[in-house]
Amino acid sequence: MKKDFYAMMVLVLGIAGLSYGQAQNPECMTNLSIYAEHAKVKNYEAAYQPWKMVYETCPGINKANFSYGEKILEHKIENSSGAEKQAFIKELSSLYDTRRQYFPKNYTKAEDITDKVNLMYDNKMISDDDIYSQLSQAFKEDRANFDNPKSLYLYFSSLVDLHGAGKKELQEVFDVYDDVTEKIEEENEKYLKQINVLLPKEEAGTLSSKDSRRLKSYNSYSENYGKIAGSIDSKLGALADCENLIPLYQKSFEEKKGDIAWVKRAVGRMFSKECTDDPLFRKLFEAQLALEPSASAYLYGGTLKAKDGDNRGAIADFDKAAELETDARKKSSILYKAATIARKFSKSQARAYARRAIDANASNGNAYLLIANLYASSANECGSTPFEKRAVYWLAADMARRAGRVDPSISGRASQSAASYQAKAPSKTDIFNSGMAGKQVSFPCWVGGSVTVPNL
């Protein structure tokens, strides 16, 4: 009877990875049931003692020892002080060290290290040296699972501080910056793909409650990665300005000019920091072109032509780059770059390139923002009355809002743009006085199409 009773408890609790020997311990089974019920309703204080008994006696009986244990100990840390708090911190740190021993399929090396470092950082119990050393190990040994936004920032931030203290070289700062920003882009891209699968359903009103929760979660993650990316750029600050980059790469050029990875990163960083006027950029670009004629090489060549005022020549190079590029996200970025150049001589052509950028990558919010700006800058060209001219701002605002929906990482900038354009569109008073509520305003200029005036 007892065995049947315990077997039923295992099923009720949904226990996975149960150790047969530990399952025969009646006291562990009873306390597991007790603390699990308390933890489910977030009564972590009452859960602590029964949890502690099970965790210390039968650690491998159930994953809940670690998932609920983490929440229980976080509660104890938050509600204690002094030596007692230190003891709970030590206990949670030990939990992070041991959970993979019992449930290797549920936890990763990167997760164990980052959780422990974050715990120590939050409680001011770890130095920059240790933060960087441990997170560097996690990133190098388990990059695939190193996806915690806060940890990615700490990894880079601690290195910058160590460089400021004279303990790390500038080249290492740049190398880790490239690694971290690349990882952030990869993680954000995963969420953007999911977002753009669900957005059409949301717009059609067919999104299920489950998918609605997922969309909200994906948006939140993307926004967080966007914020972290901005914080990392701010932390890098003046270290990546041309005054630092040029002598650093000039010093290493002869030694490294045959290293395609180094050359590509150097060209890419100088390109992103707009150090393209210096002769070194052309030397690096030519070195890359000789080592690996590629889409990025044509991109840089087009940029040099644009710098020289040859905008149409630049567009031609961007077209070649886009044709060669096989990565959809990179192709979209190239076409967006072409759109920014094309706007100098043709708004309609700029929009065409921006639309191609969106076709290549539906998550390219910057392309939507560019189209929004093109519309807003054409207000005086579209319409014969002040009302009709200002109506184009509705189109601009819609495009800006769309930018934030497809790429939540730029939602802050998109919302500001949308609000600015909306403020310039006809007001409710204007709509009332014009008698245009619910009617359409057509745009005979390059914008084309029409917009429906909001009903009052």
Side-chain angles (χ1 to χ4, degrees), residues 72-106:
I72 290 167
L73 289 172
E74 285 175 342
H75 168 82
K76 298 295 284 186
I77 291 168
E78 187 177 346
N79 292 277
S80 60
S81 60
E84 184 183 33
K85 182 173 185 175
Q86 298 296 312
F88 288 131
I89 292 172
K90 184 177 180 181
E91 197 168 8
L92 181 53
S93 177
S94 176
L95 181 148
Y96 291 144
D97 285 336
T98 58
R99 62 189 180 185
R100 201 156 41 97
Q101 173 186 340
Y102 295 98
F103 296 95
K105 294 182 179 179
N106 298 103

PDB file of all heavy atoms in Angstrom, residues 72-106:
ATOM      1  N   ILE A  72      12.689  29.856  -3.346  1.00  0.00           N
ATOM      2  CA  ILE A  72      12.613  29.872  -1.879  1.00  0.00           C
ATOM      3  C   ILE A  72      13.810  30.629  -1.299  1.00  0.00           C
ATOM      4  O   ILE A  72      13.653  31.491  -0.416  1.00  0.00           O
ATOM      5  CB  ILE A  72      12.566  28.429  -1.329  1.00  0.00           C
ATOM      6  CG1 ILE A  72      11.225  27.773  -1.682  1.00  0.00           C
ATOM      7  CG2 ILE A  72      12.778  28.412   0.182  1.00  0.00           C
ATOM      8  CD1 ILE A  72      11.197  26.262  -1.475  1.00  0.00           C
ATOM      9  N   LEU A  73      15.000  30.344  -1.817  1.00  0.00           N
ATOM     10  CA  LEU A  73      16.205  30.994  -1.292  1.00  0.00           C
ATOM     11  C   LEU A  73      16.264  32.470  -1.690  1.00  0.00           C
ATOM     12  O   LEU A  73      16.749  33.305  -0.917  1.00  0.00           O
ATOM     13  CB  LEU A  73      17.445  30.251  -1.778  1.00  0.00           C
ATOM     14  CG  LEU A  73      17.646  28.876  -1.121  1.00  0.00           C
ATOM     15  CD1 LEU A  73      18.787  28.122  -1.785  1.00  0.00           C
ATOM     16  CD2 LEU A  73      17.916  29.028   0.382  1.00  0.00           C
ATOM     17  N   GLU A  74      15.785  32.810  -2.883  1.00  0.00           N
ATOM     18  CA  GLU A  74      15.735  34.222  -3.274  1.00  0.00           C
ATOM     19  C   GLU A  74      14.837  34.995  -2.305  1.00  0.00           C
ATOM     20  O   GLU A  74      15.146  36.141  -1.933  1.00  0.00           O
ATOM     21  CB  GLU A  74      15.218  34.356  -4.705  1.00  0.00           C
ATOM     22  CG  GLU A  74      16.237  33.958  -5.761  1.00  0.00           C
ATOM     23  CD  GLU A  74      15.678  33.977  -7.170  1.00  0.00           C
ATOM     24  OE1 GLU A  74      14.434  33.961  -7.325  1.00  0.00           O
ATOM     25  OE2 GLU A  74      16.480  33.999  -8.121  1.00  0.00           O
ATOM     26  N   HIS A  75      13.738  34.374  -1.912  1.00  0.00           N
ATOM     27  CA  HIS A  75      12.837  35.004  -0.930  1.00  0.00           C
ATOM     28  C   HIS A  75      13.550  35.192   0.402  1.00  0.00           C
ATOM     29  O   HIS A  75      13.444  36.266   1.028  1.00  0.00           O
ATOM     30  CB  HIS A  75      11.590  34.137  -0.745  1.00  0.00           C
ATOM     31  CG  HIS A  75      10.749  34.537   0.431  1.00  0.00           C
ATOM     32  ND1 HIS A  75       9.835  35.569   0.378  1.00  0.00           N
ATOM     33  CD2 HIS A  75      10.709  34.051   1.716  1.00  0.00           C
ATOM     34  CE1 HIS A  75       9.254  35.700   1.557  1.00  0.00           C
ATOM     35  NE2 HIS A  75       9.769  34.797   2.380  1.00  0.00           N
ATOM     36  N   LYS A  76      14.270  34.193   0.841  1.00  0.00           N
ATOM     37  CA  LYS A  76      14.969  34.274   2.122  1.00  0.00           C
ATOM     38  C   LYS A  76      16.062  35.349   2.086  1.00  0.00           C
ATOM     39  O   LYS A  76      16.250  36.097   3.052  1.00  0.00           O
ATOM     40  CB  LYS A  76      15.583  32.918   2.479  1.00  0.00           C
ATOM     41  CG  LYS A  76      14.562  31.789   2.646  1.00  0.00           C
ATOM     42  CD  LYS A  76      13.632  32.027   3.832  1.00  0.00           C
ATOM     43  CE  LYS A  76      14.299  31.736   5.166  1.00  0.00           C
ATOM     44  NZ  LYS A  76      13.337  31.832   6.300  1.00  0.00           N
ATOM     45  N   ILE A  77      16.759  35.452   0.966  1.00  0.00           N
ATOM     46  CA  ILE A  77      17.804  36.475   0.817  1.00  0.00           C
ATOM     47  C   ILE A  77      17.199  37.869   0.874  1.00  0.00           C
ATOM     48  O   ILE A  77      17.713  38.768   1.537  1.00  0.00           O
ATOM     49  CB  ILE A  77      18.563  36.270  -0.513  1.00  0.00           C
ATOM     50  CG1 ILE A  77      19.403  34.985  -0.452  1.00  0.00           C
ATOM     51  CG2 ILE A  77      19.457  37.473  -0.828  1.00  0.00           C
ATOM     52  CD1 ILE A  77      19.956  34.548  -1.794  1.00  0.00           C
ATOM     53  N   GLU A  78      16.094  38.038   0.173  1.00  0.00           N
ATOM     54  CA  GLU A  78      15.434  39.352   0.113  1.00  0.00           C
ATOM     55  C   GLU A  78      14.894  39.783   1.469  1.00  0.00           C
ATOM     56  O   GLU A  78      14.806  40.980   1.759  1.00  0.00           O
ATOM     57  CB  GLU A  78      14.295  39.295  -0.907  1.00  0.00           C
ATOM     58  CG  GLU A  78      13.640  40.635  -1.171  1.00  0.00           C
ATOM     59  CD  GLU A  78      12.558  40.550  -2.237  1.00  0.00           C
ATOM     60  OE1 GLU A  78      12.496  39.527  -2.955  1.00  0.00           O
ATOM     61  OE2 GLU A  78      11.767  41.504  -2.336  1.00  0.00           O
ATOM     62  N   ASN A  79      14.563  38.821   2.324  1.00  0.00           N
ATOM     63  CA  ASN A  79      13.932  39.141   3.607  1.00  0.00           C
ATOM     64  C   ASN A  79      14.826  38.854   4.808  1.00  0.00           C
ATOM     65  O   ASN A  79      14.349  38.566   5.908  1.00  0.00           O
ATOM     66  CB  ASN A  79      12.622  38.348   3.740  1.00  0.00           C
ATOM     67  CG  ASN A  79      11.567  38.813   2.753  1.00  0.00           C
ATOM     68  OD1 ASN A  79      10.860  39.784   2.982  1.00  0.00           O
ATOM     69  ND2 ASN A  79      11.482  38.118   1.609  1.00  0.00           N
ATOM     70  N   SER A  80      16.132  38.947   4.605  1.00  0.00           N
ATOM     71  CA  SER A  80      17.070  38.745   5.712  1.00  0.00           C
ATOM     72  C   SER A  80      18.199  39.755   5.603  1.00  0.00           C
ATOM     73  O   SER A  80      18.274  40.517   4.634  1.00  0.00           O
ATOM     74  CB  SER A  80      17.620  37.309   5.689  1.00  0.00           C
ATOM     75  OG  SER A  80      18.292  37.061   4.467  1.00  0.00           O
ATOM     76  N   SER A  81      19.084  39.758   6.569  1.00  0.00           N
ATOM     77  CA  SER A  81      20.204  40.695   6.561  1.00  0.00           C
ATOM     78  C   SER A  81      21.374  40.091   7.329  1.00  0.00           C
ATOM     79  O   SER A  81      21.239  39.055   7.992  1.00  0.00           O
ATOM     80  CB  SER A  81      19.790  42.035   7.191  1.00  0.00           C
ATOM     81  OG  SER A  81      19.368  41.829   8.540  1.00  0.00           O
ATOM     82  N   GLY A  82      22.514  40.759   7.217  1.00  0.00           N
ATOM     83  CA  GLY A  82      23.682  40.341   7.987  1.00  0.00           C
ATOM     84  C   GLY A  82      24.150  38.935   7.684  1.00  0.00           C
ATOM     85  O   GLY A  82      24.101  38.455   6.549  1.00  0.00           O
ATOM     86  N   ALA A  83      24.597  38.252   8.747  1.00  0.00           N
ATOM     87  CA  ALA A  83      25.151  36.907   8.604  1.00  0.00           C
ATOM     88  C   ALA A  83      24.120  35.922   8.072  1.00  0.00           C
ATOM     89  O   ALA A  83      24.452  35.004   7.313  1.00  0.00           O
ATOM     90  CB  ALA A  83      25.688  36.434   9.952  1.00  0.00           C
ATOM     91  N   GLU A  84      22.861  36.121   8.479  1.00  0.00           N
ATOM     92  CA  GLU A  84      21.803  35.229   8.010  1.00  0.00           C
ATOM     93  C   GLU A  84      21.649  35.334   6.494  1.00  0.00           C
ATOM     94  O   GLU A  84      21.535  34.325   5.796  1.00  0.00           O
ATOM     95  CB  GLU A  84      20.483  35.577   8.703  1.00  0.00           C
ATOM     96  CG  GLU A  84      19.345  34.620   8.348  1.00  0.00           C
ATOM     97  CD  GLU A  84      18.014  35.012   8.990  1.00  0.00           C
ATOM     98  OE1 GLU A  84      17.776  36.236   9.150  1.00  0.00           O
ATOM     99  OE2 GLU A  84      17.231  34.109   9.309  1.00  0.00           O
ATOM    100  N   LYS A  85      21.678  36.562   5.986  1.00  0.00           N
ATOM    101  CA  LYS A  85      21.556  36.770   4.548  1.00  0.00           C
ATOM    102  C   LYS A  85      22.751  36.153   3.812  1.00  0.00           C
ATOM    103  O   LYS A  85      22.579  35.519   2.765  1.00  0.00           O
ATOM    104  CB  LYS A  85      21.470  38.271   4.239  1.00  0.00           C
ATOM    105  CG  LYS A  85      21.300  38.589   2.768  1.00  0.00           C
ATOM    106  CD  LYS A  85      21.063  40.077   2.563  1.00  0.00           C
ATOM    107  CE  LYS A  85      20.778  40.387   1.101  1.00  0.00           C
ATOM    108  NZ  LYS A  85      20.437  41.801   0.890  1.00  0.00           N
ATOM    109  N   GLN A  86      23.943  36.330   4.376  1.00  0.00           N
ATOM    110  CA  GLN A  86      25.135  35.765   3.767  1.00  0.00           C
ATOM    111  C   GLN A  86      25.029  34.243   3.658  1.00  0.00           C
ATOM    112  O   GLN A  86      25.452  33.638   2.668  1.00  0.00           O
ATOM    113  CB  GLN A  86      26.379  36.137   4.592  1.00  0.00           C
ATOM    114  CG  GLN A  86      26.658  37.628   4.684  1.00  0.00           C
ATOM    115  CD  GLN A  86      26.969  38.245   3.339  1.00  0.00           C
ATOM    116  OE1 GLN A  86      27.776  37.714   2.583  1.00  0.00           O
ATOM    117  NE2 GLN A  86      26.332  39.361   3.016  1.00  0.00           N
ATOM    118  N   ALA A  87      24.452  33.623   4.676  1.00  0.00           N
ATOM    119  CA  ALA A  87      24.305  32.164   4.683  1.00  0.00           C
ATOM    120  C   ALA A  87      23.356  31.702   3.577  1.00  0.00           C
ATOM    121  O   ALA A  87      23.597  30.687   2.914  1.00  0.00           O
ATOM    122  CB  ALA A  87      23.798  31.694   6.045  1.00  0.00           C
ATOM    123  N   PHE A  88      22.270  32.466   3.378  1.00  0.00           N
ATOM    124  CA  PHE A  88      21.316  32.100   2.331  1.00  0.00           C
ATOM    125  C   PHE A  88      21.937  32.297   0.945  1.00  0.00           C
ATOM    126  O   PHE A  88      21.692  31.507   0.021  1.00  0.00           O
ATOM    127  CB  PHE A  88      20.032  32.918   2.457  1.00  0.00           C
ATOM    128  CG  PHE A  88      19.173  32.539   3.632  1.00  0.00           C
ATOM    129  CD1 PHE A  88      18.673  33.514   4.499  1.00  0.00           C
ATOM    130  CD2 PHE A  88      18.861  31.209   3.883  1.00  0.00           C
ATOM    131  CE1 PHE A  88      17.885  33.168   5.585  1.00  0.00           C
ATOM    132  CE2 PHE A  88      18.065  30.849   4.967  1.00  0.00           C
ATOM    133  CZ  PHE A  88      17.583  31.835   5.822  1.00  0.00           C
ATOM    134  N   ILE A  89      22.735  33.342   0.795  1.00  0.00           N
ATOM    135  CA  ILE A  89      23.421  33.572  -0.478  1.00  0.00           C
ATOM    136  C   ILE A  89      24.366  32.414  -0.779  1.00  0.00           C
ATOM    137  O   ILE A  89      24.426  31.897  -1.902  1.00  0.00           O
ATOM    138  CB  ILE A  89      24.202  34.909  -0.443  1.00  0.00           C
ATOM    139  CG1 ILE A  89      23.229  36.088  -0.387  1.00  0.00           C
ATOM    140  CG2 ILE A  89      25.113  35.034  -1.667  1.00  0.00           C
ATOM    141  CD1 ILE A  89      23.884  37.430  -0.147  1.00  0.00           C
ATOM    142  N   LYS A  90      25.094  31.996   0.240  1.00  0.00           N
ATOM    143  CA  LYS A  90      26.007  30.867   0.076  1.00  0.00           C
ATOM    144  C   LYS A  90      25.243  29.599  -0.293  1.00  0.00           C
ATOM    145  O   LYS A  90      25.684  28.801  -1.129  1.00  0.00           O
ATOM    146  CB  LYS A  90      26.798  30.659   1.369  1.00  0.00           C
ATOM    147  CG  LYS A  90      27.854  29.574   1.283  1.00  0.00           C
ATOM    148  CD  LYS A  90      28.642  29.473   2.586  1.00  0.00           C
ATOM    149  CE  LYS A  90      29.709  28.381   2.494  1.00  0.00           C
ATOM    150  NZ  LYS A  90      30.471  28.260   3.763  1.00  0.00           N
ATOM    151  N   GLU A  91      24.075  29.421   0.316  1.00  0.00           N
ATOM    152  CA  GLU A  91      23.251  28.242   0.050  1.00  0.00           C
ATOM    153  C   GLU A  91      22.752  28.239  -1.396  1.00  0.00           C
ATOM    154  O   GLU A  91      22.770  27.207  -2.074  1.00  0.00           O
ATOM    155  CB  GLU A  91      22.074  28.214   1.029  1.00  0.00           C
ATOM    156  CG  GLU A  91      21.385  26.870   1.143  1.00  0.00           C
ATOM    157  CD  GLU A  91      20.416  26.802   2.311  1.00  0.00           C
ATOM    158  OE1 GLU A  91      20.151  27.850   2.947  1.00  0.00           O
ATOM    159  OE2 GLU A  91      19.908  25.701   2.582  1.00  0.00           O
ATOM    160  N   LEU A  92      22.326  29.402  -1.885  1.00  0.00           N
ATOM    161  CA  LEU A  92      21.846  29.492  -3.266  1.00  0.00           C
ATOM    162  C   LEU A  92      23.009  29.299  -4.246  1.00  0.00           C
ATOM    163  O   LEU A  92      22.852  28.643  -5.285  1.00  0.00           O
ATOM    164  CB  LEU A  92      21.165  30.841  -3.502  1.00  0.00           C
ATOM    165  CG  LEU A  92      20.594  31.080  -4.909  1.00  0.00           C
ATOM    166  CD1 LEU A  92      19.660  29.942  -5.336  1.00  0.00           C
ATOM    167  CD2 LEU A  92      19.857  32.417  -4.970  1.00  0.00           C
ATOM    168  N   SER A  93      24.150  29.856  -3.923  1.00  0.00           N
ATOM    169  CA  SER A  93      25.328  29.682  -4.773  1.00  0.00           C
ATOM    170  C   SER A  93      25.678  28.206  -4.901  1.00  0.00           C
ATOM    171  O   SER A  93      26.009  27.717  -5.990  1.00  0.00           O
ATOM    172  CB  SER A  93      26.512  30.455  -4.181  1.00  0.00           C
ATOM    173  OG  SER A  93      27.682  30.252  -4.949  1.00  0.00           O
ATOM    174  N   SER A  94      25.594  27.491  -3.793  1.00  0.00           N
ATOM    175  CA  SER A  94      25.867  26.050  -3.802  1.00  0.00           C
ATOM    176  C   SER A  94      24.834  25.305  -4.655  1.00  0.00           C
ATOM    177  O   SER A  94      25.175  24.338  -5.355  1.00  0.00           O
ATOM    178  CB  SER A  94      25.852  25.509  -2.370  1.00  0.00           C
ATOM    179  OG  SER A  94      26.019  24.114  -2.350  1.00  0.00           O
ATOM    180  N   LEU A  95      23.589  25.751  -4.601  1.00  0.00           N
ATOM    181  CA  LEU A  95      22.541  25.135  -5.418  1.00  0.00           C
ATOM    182  C   LEU A  95      22.881  25.259  -6.899  1.00  0.00           C
ATOM    183  O   LEU A  95      22.728  24.297  -7.670  1.00  0.00           O
ATOM    184  CB  LEU A  95      21.202  25.789  -5.101  1.00  0.00           C
ATOM    185  CG  LEU A  95      19.955  25.260  -5.835  1.00  0.00           C
ATOM    186  CD1 LEU A  95      18.717  25.367  -4.941  1.00  0.00           C
ATOM    187  CD2 LEU A  95      19.704  26.034  -7.131  1.00  0.00           C
ATOM    188  N   TYR A  96      23.353  26.452  -7.309  1.00  0.00           N
ATOM    189  CA  TYR A  96      23.738  26.650  -8.708  1.00  0.00           C
ATOM    190  C   TYR A  96      24.895  25.728  -9.097  1.00  0.00           C
ATOM    191  O   TYR A  96      24.978  25.265 -10.242  1.00  0.00           O
ATOM    192  CB  TYR A  96      24.134  28.104  -8.956  1.00  0.00           C
ATOM    193  CG  TYR A  96      22.982  29.088  -8.881  1.00  0.00           C
ATOM    194  CD1 TYR A  96      23.174  30.369  -8.357  1.00  0.00           C
ATOM    195  CD2 TYR A  96      21.713  28.756  -9.340  1.00  0.00           C
ATOM    196  CE1 TYR A  96      22.132  31.283  -8.287  1.00  0.00           C
ATOM    197  CE2 TYR A  96      20.664  29.661  -9.277  1.00  0.00           C
ATOM    198  CZ  TYR A  96      20.884  30.925  -8.747  1.00  0.00           C
ATOM    199  OH  TYR A  96      19.845  31.825  -8.681  1.00  0.00           O
ATOM    200  N   ASP A  97      25.797  25.474  -8.142  1.00  0.00           N
ATOM    201  CA  ASP A  97      26.952  24.626  -8.424  1.00  0.00           C
ATOM    202  C   ASP A  97      26.587  23.158  -8.595  1.00  0.00           C
ATOM    203  O   ASP A  97      27.293  22.416  -9.282  1.00  0.00           O
ATOM    204  CB  ASP A  97      27.983  24.734  -7.282  1.00  0.00           C
ATOM    205  CG  ASP A  97      28.759  26.042  -7.314  1.00  0.00           C
ATOM    206  OD1 ASP A  97      28.853  26.636  -8.406  1.00  0.00           O
ATOM    207  OD2 ASP A  97      29.261  26.463  -6.258  1.00  0.00           O
ATOM    208  N   THR A  98      25.495  22.724  -7.960  1.00  0.00           N
ATOM    209  CA  THR A  98      25.194  21.289  -7.921  1.00  0.00           C
ATOM    210  C   THR A  98      24.015  20.840  -8.772  1.00  0.00           C
ATOM    211  O   THR A  98      23.874  19.655  -9.034  1.00  0.00           O
ATOM    212  CB  THR A  98      24.912  20.850  -6.467  1.00  0.00           C
ATOM    213  OG1 THR A  98      23.808  21.613  -5.944  1.00  0.00           O
ATOM    214  CG2 THR A  98      26.137  21.067  -5.581  1.00  0.00           C
ATOM    215  N   ARG A  99      23.162  21.748  -9.230  1.00  0.00           N
ATOM    216  CA  ARG A  99      21.926  21.311  -9.878  1.00  0.00           C
ATOM    217  C   ARG A  99      22.173  20.519 -11.163  1.00  0.00           C
ATOM    218  O   ARG A  99      21.430  19.590 -11.483  1.00  0.00           O
ATOM    219  CB  ARG A  99      21.028  22.514 -10.164  1.00  0.00           C
ATOM    220  CG  ARG A  99      21.604  23.554 -11.108  1.00  0.00           C
ATOM    221  CD  ARG A  99      20.743  24.803 -11.163  1.00  0.00           C
ATOM    222  NE  ARG A  99      21.291  25.798 -12.071  1.00  0.00           N
ATOM    223  CZ  ARG A  99      20.779  27.022 -12.233  1.00  0.00           C
ATOM    224  NH1 ARG A  99      19.718  27.390 -11.534  1.00  0.00           N
ATOM    225  NH2 ARG A  99      21.328  27.864 -13.070  1.00  0.00           N
ATOM    226  N   ARG A 100      23.237  20.864 -11.900  1.00  0.00           N
ATOM    227  CA  ARG A 100      23.494  20.151 -13.150  1.00  0.00           C
ATOM    228  C   ARG A 100      23.995  18.726 -12.886  1.00  0.00           C
ATOM    229  O   ARG A 100      23.877  17.845 -13.738  1.00  0.00           O
ATOM    230  CB  ARG A 100      24.491  20.943 -13.997  1.00  0.00           C
ATOM    231  CG  ARG A 100      24.475  20.629 -15.471  1.00  0.00           C
ATOM    232  CD  ARG A 100      25.012  21.778 -16.309  1.00  0.00           C
ATOM    233  NE  ARG A 100      26.167  22.409 -15.729  1.00  0.00           N
ATOM    234  CZ  ARG A 100      27.424  22.124 -16.067  1.00  0.00           C
ATOM    235  NH1 ARG A 100      27.664  21.216 -16.985  1.00  0.00           N
ATOM    236  NH2 ARG A 100      28.424  22.759 -15.500  1.00  0.00           N
ATOM    237  N   GLN A 101      24.552  18.514 -11.688  1.00  0.00           N
ATOM    238  CA  GLN A 101      25.001  17.179 -11.310  1.00  0.00           C
ATOM    239  C   GLN A 101      23.826  16.195 -11.274  1.00  0.00           C
ATOM    240  O   GLN A 101      23.953  15.040 -11.658  1.00  0.00           O
ATOM    241  CB  GLN A 101      25.678  17.245  -9.935  1.00  0.00           C
ATOM    242  CG  GLN A 101      26.046  15.898  -9.338  1.00  0.00           C
ATOM    243  CD  GLN A 101      26.575  16.035  -7.923  1.00  0.00           C
ATOM    244  OE1 GLN A 101      27.009  17.116  -7.499  1.00  0.00           O
ATOM    245  NE2 GLN A 101      26.552  14.951  -7.174  1.00  0.00           N
ATOM    246  N   TYR A 102      22.670  16.700 -10.820  1.00  0.00           N
ATOM    247  CA  TYR A 102      21.496  15.836 -10.688  1.00  0.00           C
ATOM    248  C   TYR A 102      20.569  15.900 -11.901  1.00  0.00           C
ATOM    249  O   TYR A 102      19.912  14.916 -12.230  1.00  0.00           O
ATOM    250  CB  TYR A 102      20.723  16.213  -9.422  1.00  0.00           C
ATOM    251  CG  TYR A 102      21.513  15.934  -8.157  1.00  0.00           C
ATOM    252  CD1 TYR A 102      22.207  16.964  -7.514  1.00  0.00           C
ATOM    253  CD2 TYR A 102      21.594  14.652  -7.629  1.00  0.00           C
ATOM    254  CE1 TYR A 102      22.950  16.716  -6.369  1.00  0.00           C
ATOM    255  CE2 TYR A 102      22.334  14.392  -6.486  1.00  0.00           C
ATOM    256  CZ  TYR A 102      23.012  15.431  -5.856  1.00  0.00           C
ATOM    257  OH  TYR A 102      23.754  15.178  -4.728  1.00  0.00           O
ATOM    258  N   PHE A 103      20.510  17.076 -12.558  1.00  0.00           N
ATOM    259  CA  PHE A 103      19.593  17.230 -13.698  1.00  0.00           C
ATOM    260  C   PHE A 103      20.323  17.900 -14.868  1.00  0.00           C
ATOM    261  O   PHE A 103      20.040  19.050 -15.224  1.00  0.00           O
ATOM    262  CB  PHE A 103      18.363  18.047 -13.274  1.00  0.00           C
ATOM    263  CG  PHE A 103      17.546  17.362 -12.215  1.00  0.00           C
ATOM    264  CD1 PHE A 103      17.743  17.651 -10.866  1.00  0.00           C
ATOM    265  CD2 PHE A 103      16.612  16.394 -12.552  1.00  0.00           C
ATOM    266  CE1 PHE A 103      17.021  17.003  -9.882  1.00  0.00           C
ATOM    267  CE2 PHE A 103      15.881  15.740 -11.580  1.00  0.00           C
ATOM    268  CZ  PHE A 103      16.080  16.033 -10.238  1.00  0.00           C
ATOM    269  N   PRO A 104      21.268  17.189 -15.456  1.00  0.00           N
ATOM    270  CA  PRO A 104      22.086  17.762 -16.534  1.00  0.00           C
ATOM    271  C   PRO A 104      21.297  18.164 -17.777  1.00  0.00           C
ATOM    272  O   PRO A 104      21.742  19.020 -18.537  1.00  0.00           O
ATOM    273  CB  PRO A 104      23.088  16.633 -16.851  1.00  0.00           C
ATOM    274  CG  PRO A 104      22.421  15.373 -16.383  1.00  0.00           C
ATOM    275  CD  PRO A 104      21.635  15.784 -15.175  1.00  0.00           C
ATOM    276  N   LYS A 105      20.134  17.553 -17.997  1.00  0.00           N
ATOM    277  CA  LYS A 105      19.333  17.898 -19.176  1.00  0.00           C
ATOM    278  C   LYS A 105      18.534  19.184 -18.990  1.00  0.00           C
ATOM    279  O   LYS A 105      18.023  19.750 -19.949  1.00  0.00           O
ATOM    280  CB  LYS A 105      18.379  16.748 -19.516  1.00  0.00           C
ATOM    281  CG  LYS A 105      19.082  15.480 -19.977  1.00  0.00           C
ATOM    282  CD  LYS A 105      18.069  14.401 -20.348  1.00  0.00           C
ATOM    283  CE  LYS A 105      18.765  13.133 -20.825  1.00  0.00           C
ATOM    284  NZ  LYS A 105      17.793  12.055 -21.179  1.00  0.00           N
ATOM    285  N   ASN A 106      18.418  19.623 -17.740  1.00  0.00           N
ATOM    286  CA  ASN A 106      17.581  20.794 -17.443  1.00  0.00           C
ATOM    287  C   ASN A 106      18.366  22.078 -17.245  1.00  0.00           C
ATOM    288  O   ASN A 106      17.793  23.172 -17.272  1.00  0.00           O
ATOM    289  CB  ASN A 106      16.735  20.528 -16.201  1.00  0.00           C
ATOM    290  CG  ASN A 106      15.785  19.361 -16.383  1.00  0.00           C
ATOM    291  OD1 ASN A 106      16.023  18.266 -15.889  1.00  0.00           O
ATOM    292  ND2 ASN A 106      14.700  19.573 -17.111  1.00  0.00           N
TER     293      ASN A 106
END
